[in-house]
Amino acid sequence: MKITYQRFESADAEELVGLLSGDTWPFHGSELVDPAAVRQRIEESGYDDQDNRAFWIIVAGQRAGFVRLTDLRDETPLFDLRIRSGYRGRGLGGQALAWLTGYLFTEFPGVRRIEGTTRQDNVAMRRAFLRSGYAKEAHYRDAWPASDGRVHDAVGYAILRRDWLSGTTTAPDWDDERLL
Ligand SMILES: CC(C)(COP(=O)(O)OP(=O)(O)OC[C@H]1O[C@@H](n2cnc3c(N)ncnc32)[C@H](O)[C@@H]1OP(=O)(O)O)[C@@H](O)C(=O)NCCC(=O)NCCS
């Protein structure tokens, strides 16, 4: 499956509002996106300025997903990756994560690591992290309240530039309390 990535432009505003508010996002803090909030973020250049860039994920000419890269002036940028529900589970998210990882390390020489946090039960996102060489760095218990009133654990992953360059994944030193 050939995937291409197209930079978001303000002329695409209403299409982005449609993608984000016309679907459900089960593993986000809020499953539904408020169209007014998207329009406001577009007006404030929140998808394309010094700190943010965004891209459509395109398959067979269709805009199948969207990725927003944030904190781009930081040594540790973040991202928000969303695949439309009809396209999930077909390999797009995993490939998009690998792409955005390479993009960030290539375009921004000051980036030392890339971080992502997700809900513990977001299996697809967690598997994508592992396949792209990210290591689990954090486990936050009862940190993610869901809209149905349940509270989930959150998990944090990151990839280091040096690991990305060498094609390895170094694990954190979890046993460091032996030194205390
Ligand atoms: C999370 C998300 C980006 C993953 O993208 P995707 O295209 O659905 O996932 P892929 O098809 O690339 O699959 C990635 C891995 O998860 C596995 N997987 C996919 N869907 C799965 C599911 N429903 N249950 C369990 N495993 C699943 C795949 O087999 C693959 O594993 P592998 O690499 O070990 O073979 C996408 O589902 C999505 O946008 N979800 C809603 C928004 C979201 O949760 N974003 C992330 C917020 S941090």
Side-chain angles (χ1 to χ4, degrees), residues 52-74:
N52 302 283
R53 279 187 198 180
F55 296 84
W56 298 102
I57 300 167
I58 298 178
V59 178
Q62 301 297 312
R63 290 175 166 171
F66 191 73
V67 59
R68 178 175 178 232
L69 310 174
T70 65
D71 292 359
L72 292 174
R73 282 184 288 183
D74 201 281

PDB file of all heavy atoms in Angstrom, residues 52-74:
ATOM      1  N   ASN A  52       4.521  23.990  15.062  1.00  0.00           N
ATOM      2  CA  ASN A  52       3.597  22.954  14.597  1.00  0.00           C
ATOM      3  C   ASN A  52       3.661  22.768  13.079  1.00  0.00           C
ATOM      4  O   ASN A  52       3.795  23.747  12.344  1.00  0.00           O
ATOM      5  CB  ASN A  52       2.146  23.360  14.923  1.00  0.00           C
ATOM      6  CG  ASN A  52       1.930  23.594  16.400  1.00  0.00           C
ATOM      7  OD1 ASN A  52       1.809  22.662  17.178  1.00  0.00           O
ATOM      8  ND2 ASN A  52       1.888  24.874  16.787  1.00  0.00           N
ATOM      9  N   ARG A  53       3.556  21.520  12.663  1.00  0.00           N
ATOM     10  CA  ARG A  53       3.356  21.206  11.246  1.00  0.00           C
ATOM     11  C   ARG A  53       2.368  20.059  11.188  1.00  0.00           C
ATOM     12  O   ARG A  53       2.325  19.231  12.107  1.00  0.00           O
ATOM     13  CB  ARG A  53       4.645  20.745  10.574  1.00  0.00           C
ATOM     14  CG  ARG A  53       5.544  21.873  10.166  1.00  0.00           C
ATOM     15  CD  ARG A  53       6.717  21.404   9.364  1.00  0.00           C
ATOM     16  NE  ARG A  53       7.733  22.441   9.384  1.00  0.00           N
ATOM     17  CZ  ARG A  53       8.898  22.363   8.783  1.00  0.00           C
ATOM     18  NH1 ARG A  53       9.221  21.267   8.100  1.00  0.00           N
ATOM     19  NH2 ARG A  53       9.758  23.347   8.841  1.00  0.00           N
ATOM     20  N   ALA A  54       1.626  19.979  10.085  1.00  0.00           N
ATOM     21  CA  ALA A  54       0.647  18.892   9.987  1.00  0.00           C
ATOM     22  C   ALA A  54       0.594  18.369   8.561  1.00  0.00           C
ATOM     23  O   ALA A  54       0.889  19.096   7.602  1.00  0.00           O
ATOM     24  CB  ALA A  54      -0.722  19.394  10.427  1.00  0.00           C
ATOM     25  N   PHE A  55       0.215  17.107   8.450  1.00  0.00           N
ATOM     26  CA  PHE A  55       0.210  16.428   7.150  1.00  0.00           C
ATOM     27  C   PHE A  55      -1.010  15.533   7.024  1.00  0.00           C
ATOM     28  O   PHE A  55      -1.413  14.863   7.986  1.00  0.00           O
ATOM     29  CB  PHE A  55       1.465  15.534   7.016  1.00  0.00           C
ATOM     30  CG  PHE A  55       2.744  16.298   7.010  1.00  0.00           C
ATOM     31  CD1 PHE A  55       3.352  16.673   8.201  1.00  0.00           C
ATOM     32  CD2 PHE A  55       3.344  16.670   5.807  1.00  0.00           C
ATOM     33  CE1 PHE A  55       4.534  17.388   8.216  1.00  0.00           C
ATOM     34  CE2 PHE A  55       4.528  17.393   5.814  1.00  0.00           C
ATOM     35  CZ  PHE A  55       5.126  17.750   7.007  1.00  0.00           C
ATOM     36  N   TRP A  56      -1.558  15.503   5.823  1.00  0.00           N
ATOM     37  CA  TRP A  56      -2.550  14.500   5.474  1.00  0.00           C
ATOM     38  C   TRP A  56      -1.820  13.192   5.187  1.00  0.00           C
ATOM     39  O   TRP A  56      -0.735  13.197   4.613  1.00  0.00           O
ATOM     40  CB  TRP A  56      -3.306  14.901   4.210  1.00  0.00           C
ATOM     41  CG  TRP A  56      -4.080  16.179   4.318  1.00  0.00           C
ATOM     42  CD1 TRP A  56      -3.720  17.392   3.820  1.00  0.00           C
ATOM     43  CD2 TRP A  56      -5.346  16.361   4.950  1.00  0.00           C
ATOM     44  NE1 TRP A  56      -4.684  18.322   4.111  1.00  0.00           N
ATOM     45  CE2 TRP A  56      -5.698  17.722   4.797  1.00  0.00           C
ATOM     46  CE3 TRP A  56      -6.221  15.502   5.623  1.00  0.00           C
ATOM     47  CZ2 TRP A  56      -6.883  18.241   5.293  1.00  0.00           C
ATOM     48  CZ3 TRP A  56      -7.406  16.027   6.116  1.00  0.00           C
ATOM     49  CH2 TRP A  56      -7.726  17.384   5.951  1.00  0.00           C
ATOM     50  N   ILE A  57      -2.464  12.099   5.556  1.00  0.00           N
ATOM     51  CA  ILE A  57      -1.972  10.765   5.212  1.00  0.00           C
ATOM     52  C   ILE A  57      -2.857  10.271   4.080  1.00  0.00           C
ATOM     53  O   ILE A  57      -4.075  10.105   4.258  1.00  0.00           O
ATOM     54  CB  ILE A  57      -2.050   9.826   6.436  1.00  0.00           C
ATOM     55  CG1 ILE A  57      -1.183  10.394   7.567  1.00  0.00           C
ATOM     56  CG2 ILE A  57      -1.627   8.407   6.065  1.00  0.00           C
ATOM     57  CD1 ILE A  57      -1.415   9.728   8.922  1.00  0.00           C
ATOM     58  N   ILE A  58      -2.251  10.088   2.906  1.00  0.00           N
ATOM     59  CA  ILE A  58      -3.053   9.851   1.699  1.00  0.00           C
ATOM     60  C   ILE A  58      -2.811   8.451   1.145  1.00  0.00           C
ATOM     61  O   ILE A  58      -1.670   8.022   0.970  1.00  0.00           O
ATOM     62  CB  ILE A  58      -2.725  10.922   0.638  1.00  0.00           C
ATOM     63  CG1 ILE A  58      -3.097  12.295   1.220  1.00  0.00           C
ATOM     64  CG2 ILE A  58      -3.467  10.650  -0.662  1.00  0.00           C
ATOM     65  CD1 ILE A  58      -2.786  13.446   0.328  1.00  0.00           C
ATOM     66  N   VAL A  59      -3.918   7.762   0.897  1.00  0.00           N
ATOM     67  CA  VAL A  59      -3.860   6.422   0.311  1.00  0.00           C
ATOM     68  C   VAL A  59      -4.820   6.388  -0.876  1.00  0.00           C
ATOM     69  O   VAL A  59      -5.999   6.752  -0.726  1.00  0.00           O
ATOM     70  CB  VAL A  59      -4.303   5.346   1.342  1.00  0.00           C
ATOM     71  CG1 VAL A  59      -4.285   3.971   0.706  1.00  0.00           C
ATOM     72  CG2 VAL A  59      -3.405   5.378   2.553  1.00  0.00           C
ATOM     73  N   ALA A  60      -4.332   5.967  -2.008  1.00  0.00           N
ATOM     74  CA  ALA A  60      -5.153   5.882  -3.230  1.00  0.00           C
ATOM     75  C   ALA A  60      -5.952   7.171  -3.447  1.00  0.00           C
ATOM     76  O   ALA A  60      -7.146   7.144  -3.760  1.00  0.00           O
ATOM     77  CB  ALA A  60      -6.094   4.672  -3.150  1.00  0.00           C
ATOM     78  N   GLY A  61      -5.295   8.296  -3.240  1.00  0.00           N
ATOM     79  CA  GLY A  61      -5.929   9.596  -3.479  1.00  0.00           C
ATOM     80  C   GLY A  61      -6.878  10.052  -2.387  1.00  0.00           C
ATOM     81  O   GLY A  61      -7.428  11.156  -2.461  1.00  0.00           O
ATOM     82  N   GLN A  62      -7.074   9.231  -1.360  1.00  0.00           N
ATOM     83  CA  GLN A  62      -8.002   9.592  -0.284  1.00  0.00           C
ATOM     84  C   GLN A  62      -7.247  10.069   0.949  1.00  0.00           C
ATOM     85  O   GLN A  62      -6.206   9.486   1.306  1.00  0.00           O
ATOM     86  CB  GLN A  62      -8.866   8.376   0.109  1.00  0.00           C
ATOM     87  CG  GLN A  62      -9.697   7.812  -1.013  1.00  0.00           C
ATOM     88  CD  GLN A  62     -10.715   8.820  -1.531  1.00  0.00           C
ATOM     89  OE1 GLN A  62     -11.431   9.454  -0.765  1.00  0.00           O
ATOM     90  NE2 GLN A  62     -10.745   8.989  -2.857  1.00  0.00           N
ATOM     91  N   ARG A  63      -7.790  11.076   1.609  1.00  0.00           N
ATOM     92  CA  ARG A  63      -7.195  11.551   2.865  1.00  0.00           C
ATOM     93  C   ARG A  63      -7.662  10.632   3.990  1.00  0.00           C
ATOM     94  O   ARG A  63      -8.760  10.756   4.514  1.00  0.00           O
ATOM     95  CB  ARG A  63      -7.574  13.007   3.103  1.00  0.00           C
ATOM     96  CG  ARG A  63      -6.857  13.901   2.091  1.00  0.00           C
ATOM     97  CD  ARG A  63      -7.246  15.347   2.172  1.00  0.00           C
ATOM     98  NE  ARG A  63      -6.285  16.149   1.403  1.00  0.00           N
ATOM     99  CZ  ARG A  63      -6.433  17.433   1.120  1.00  0.00           C
ATOM    100  NH1 ARG A  63      -7.496  18.082   1.538  1.00  0.00           N
ATOM    101  NH2 ARG A  63      -5.516  18.074   0.423  1.00  0.00           N
ATOM    102  N   ALA A  64      -6.799   9.698   4.316  1.00  0.00           N
ATOM    103  CA  ALA A  64      -7.173   8.605   5.234  1.00  0.00           C
ATOM    104  C   ALA A  64      -6.807   8.908   6.683  1.00  0.00           C
ATOM    105  O   ALA A  64      -7.248   8.194   7.590  1.00  0.00           O
ATOM    106  CB  ALA A  64      -6.478   7.319   4.796  1.00  0.00           C
ATOM    107  N   GLY A  65      -6.036   9.926   6.897  1.00  0.00           N
ATOM    108  CA  GLY A  65      -5.632  10.254   8.262  1.00  0.00           C
ATOM    109  C   GLY A  65      -4.879  11.565   8.288  1.00  0.00           C
ATOM    110  O   GLY A  65      -4.709  12.240   7.257  1.00  0.00           O
ATOM    111  N   PHE A  66      -4.428  11.904   9.477  1.00  0.00           N
ATOM    112  CA  PHE A  66      -3.832  13.218   9.690  1.00  0.00           C
ATOM    113  C   PHE A  66      -2.811  13.108  10.813  1.00  0.00           C
ATOM    114  O   PHE A  66      -3.032  12.368  11.780  1.00  0.00           O
ATOM    115  CB  PHE A  66      -4.947  14.192  10.100  1.00  0.00           C
ATOM    116  CG  PHE A  66      -4.547  15.633  10.111  1.00  0.00           C
ATOM    117  CD1 PHE A  66      -4.363  16.325   8.923  1.00  0.00           C
ATOM    118  CD2 PHE A  66      -4.379  16.300  11.308  1.00  0.00           C
ATOM    119  CE1 PHE A  66      -4.006  17.672   8.931  1.00  0.00           C
ATOM    120  CE2 PHE A  66      -4.022  17.645  11.326  1.00  0.00           C
ATOM    121  CZ  PHE A  66      -3.846  18.327  10.132  1.00  0.00           C
ATOM    122  N   VAL A  67      -1.714  13.789  10.652  1.00  0.00           N
ATOM    123  CA  VAL A  67      -0.740  13.809  11.749  1.00  0.00           C
ATOM    124  C   VAL A  67      -0.305  15.245  12.013  1.00  0.00           C
ATOM    125  O   VAL A  67      -0.028  16.002  11.091  1.00  0.00           O
ATOM    126  CB  VAL A  67       0.470  12.890  11.473  1.00  0.00           C
ATOM    127  CG1 VAL A  67       1.216  13.276  10.217  1.00  0.00           C
ATOM    128  CG2 VAL A  67       1.407  12.871  12.669  1.00  0.00           C
ATOM    129  N   ARG A  68      -0.315  15.603  13.267  1.00  0.00           N
ATOM    130  CA  ARG A  68       0.142  16.937  13.685  1.00  0.00           C
ATOM    131  C   ARG A  68       1.398  16.762  14.525  1.00  0.00           C
ATOM    132  O   ARG A  68       1.419  15.994  15.486  1.00  0.00           O
ATOM    133  CB  ARG A  68      -0.959  17.611  14.504  1.00  0.00           C
ATOM    134  CG  ARG A  68      -0.588  18.975  15.028  1.00  0.00           C
ATOM    135  CD  ARG A  68      -1.769  19.628  15.729  1.00  0.00           C
ATOM    136  NE  ARG A  68      -1.409  20.918  16.270  1.00  0.00           N
ATOM    137  CZ  ARG A  68      -1.612  21.288  17.534  1.00  0.00           C
ATOM    138  NH1 ARG A  68      -2.199  20.464  18.390  1.00  0.00           N
ATOM    139  NH2 ARG A  68      -1.236  22.487  17.944  1.00  0.00           N
ATOM    140  N   LEU A  69       2.439  17.484  14.130  1.00  0.00           N
ATOM    141  CA  LEU A  69       3.700  17.463  14.871  1.00  0.00           C
ATOM    142  C   LEU A  69       3.756  18.743  15.697  1.00  0.00           C
ATOM    143  O   LEU A  69       3.508  19.840  15.166  1.00  0.00           O
ATOM    144  CB  LEU A  69       4.884  17.406  13.902  1.00  0.00           C
ATOM    145  CG  LEU A  69       4.791  16.325  12.810  1.00  0.00           C
ATOM    146  CD1 LEU A  69       5.949  16.464  11.816  1.00  0.00           C
ATOM    147  CD2 LEU A  69       4.775  14.937  13.432  1.00  0.00           C
ATOM    148  N   THR A  70       4.072  18.615  16.972  1.00  0.00           N
ATOM    149  CA  THR A  70       4.032  19.785  17.854  1.00  0.00           C
ATOM    150  C   THR A  70       5.343  19.923  18.631  1.00  0.00           C
ATOM    151  O   THR A  70       6.165  19.011  18.658  1.00  0.00           O
ATOM    152  CB  THR A  70       2.860  19.686  18.852  1.00  0.00           C
ATOM    153  OG1 THR A  70       3.083  18.579  19.707  1.00  0.00           O
ATOM    154  CG2 THR A  70       1.543  19.511  18.135  1.00  0.00           C
ATOM    155  N   ASP A  71       5.502  21.092  19.274  1.00  0.00           N
ATOM    156  CA  ASP A  71       6.703  21.394  20.067  1.00  0.00           C
ATOM    157  C   ASP A  71       7.970  21.265  19.216  1.00  0.00           C
ATOM    158  O   ASP A  71       8.995  20.728  19.659  1.00  0.00           O
ATOM    159  CB  ASP A  71       6.807  20.473  21.291  1.00  0.00           C
ATOM    160  CG  ASP A  71       5.714  20.741  22.313  1.00  0.00           C
ATOM    161  OD1 ASP A  71       4.904  21.654  22.070  1.00  0.00           O
ATOM    162  OD2 ASP A  71       5.661  20.050  23.330  1.00  0.00           O
ATOM    163  N   LEU A  72       7.913  21.789  17.998  1.00  0.00           N
ATOM    164  CA  LEU A  72       9.012  21.559  17.056  1.00  0.00           C
ATOM    165  C   LEU A  72      10.284  22.333  17.384  1.00  0.00           C
ATOM    166  O   LEU A  72      11.331  22.039  16.836  1.00  0.00           O
ATOM    167  CB  LEU A  72       8.544  21.883  15.632  1.00  0.00           C
ATOM    168  CG  LEU A  72       7.500  20.908  15.082  1.00  0.00           C
ATOM    169  CD1 LEU A  72       6.981  21.374  13.728  1.00  0.00           C
ATOM    170  CD2 LEU A  72       8.072  19.505  14.986  1.00  0.00           C
ATOM    171  N   ARG A  73      10.174  23.335  18.265  1.00  0.00           N
ATOM    172  CA  ARG A  73      11.407  24.045  18.649  1.00  0.00           C
ATOM    173  C   ARG A  73      12.051  23.416  19.884  1.00  0.00           C
ATOM    174  O   ARG A  73      13.073  23.877  20.355  1.00  0.00           O
ATOM    175  CB  ARG A  73      11.115  25.526  18.883  1.00  0.00           C
ATOM    176  CG  ARG A  73      10.992  26.278  17.568  1.00  0.00           C
ATOM    177  CD  ARG A  73      10.809  27.751  17.787  1.00  0.00           C
ATOM    178  NE  ARG A  73       9.482  28.065  18.304  1.00  0.00           N
ATOM    179  CZ  ARG A  73       9.036  29.290  18.527  1.00  0.00           C
ATOM    180  NH1 ARG A  73       9.801  30.325  18.275  1.00  0.00           N
ATOM    181  NH2 ARG A  73       7.821  29.489  18.992  1.00  0.00           N
ATOM    182  N   ASP A  74      11.425  22.374  20.363  1.00  0.00           N
ATOM    183  CA  ASP A  74      11.929  21.680  21.545  1.00  0.00           C
ATOM    184  C   ASP A  74      12.856  20.548  21.108  1.00  0.00           C
ATOM    185  O   ASP A  74      12.801  20.092  19.973  1.00  0.00           O
ATOM    186  CB  ASP A  74      10.724  21.114  22.303  1.00  0.00           C
ATOM    187  CG  ASP A  74      11.019  20.834  23.755  1.00  0.00           C
ATOM    188  OD1 ASP A  74      11.648  19.794  24.040  1.00  0.00           O
ATOM    189  OD2 ASP A  74      10.608  21.651  24.581  1.00  0.00           O
TER     190      ASP A  74
END
